[in-house]
Amino acid sequence: MIRRFKFEDEVHHSLACVPMAVRRKLDRVGVKVSLEQWQALPQHERLAICHLPTASEEECDALRTFIEEAVRLRSGAGTKALPESVRRSAEPPAAPPEKLVANAQTVGVTLNDAVWQRLDPDERYALIKLGGGAEQSHNFVTALRELIG
């Protein structure tokens, strides 16, 4: 079952954009898929990517192969390999990154170790991707409200 966040409800209905849970899978398997490549995939292939597991190395290898072949077939271009540092980012750290804490603070949300410990890995990953860098996503504040309150 794919993790669905309320802040991206529309994404799950249309799959026009890559859902956060799929972004995490792509990081885990080490594949970069552009929005154009994602949108070139038919709905059934997008759904397969959403629901195929990545719990073991064999499952990651199988999903990587499926994505690479489907993207090449549908878009005519190959995927890009992600660096190891991005692959590791699929498993969020045990403490909230300083930049994420600072970005949350700018919108009035306190994100400390106690709050971070209450979040599951999918929630941590989403917050890091949406607000852990120099630029904050338009969904960052909505995600903070949904996940932290």
Side-chain angles (χ1 to χ4, degrees), residues 18-94:
V18 182
M20 192 59 63
V22 173
R23 288 180 63 186
R24 187 170 182 214
K25 283 184 180 191
L26 293 172
D27 285 357
R28 184 175 282 134
V29 303
V31 174
K32 169 76 174 150
V33 175
S34 71
L35 180 59
E36 183 178 296
Q37 289 172 321
W38 176 258
Q39 291 175 341
L41 297 171
Q43 187 79 356
H44 70 275
E45 289 177 348
R46 292 182 210 176
L47 282 169
I49 294 168
C50 287
H51 294 283
L52 288 170
T54 57
S56 70
E57 194 59 41
E58 292 81 16
E59 290 170 346
C60 287
D61 290 344
L63 181 59
R64 183 181 317 105
T65 299
F66 176 80
I67 292 168
E68 289 170 348
E69 290 177 4
V71 166
R72 185 171 289 108
L73 177 67
R74 305 299 182 183
S75 74
T79 60
K80 292 183 180 171
L82 292 173
E84 188 58 34
S85 62
V86 175
R87 290 187 76 175
R88 285 191 306 270
S89 76
E91 300 308 321

Side-chain angles (χ1 to χ4, degrees), residues 3 5 7 119 123 126-127 142-149:
R3 177 64 181 270
F5 295 106
F7 67 82
L119 300 173
E123 293 167 337
L127 289 178
T142 308
L144 281 170
R145 287 189 185 120
E146 176 183 338
L147 302 176
I148 297 174

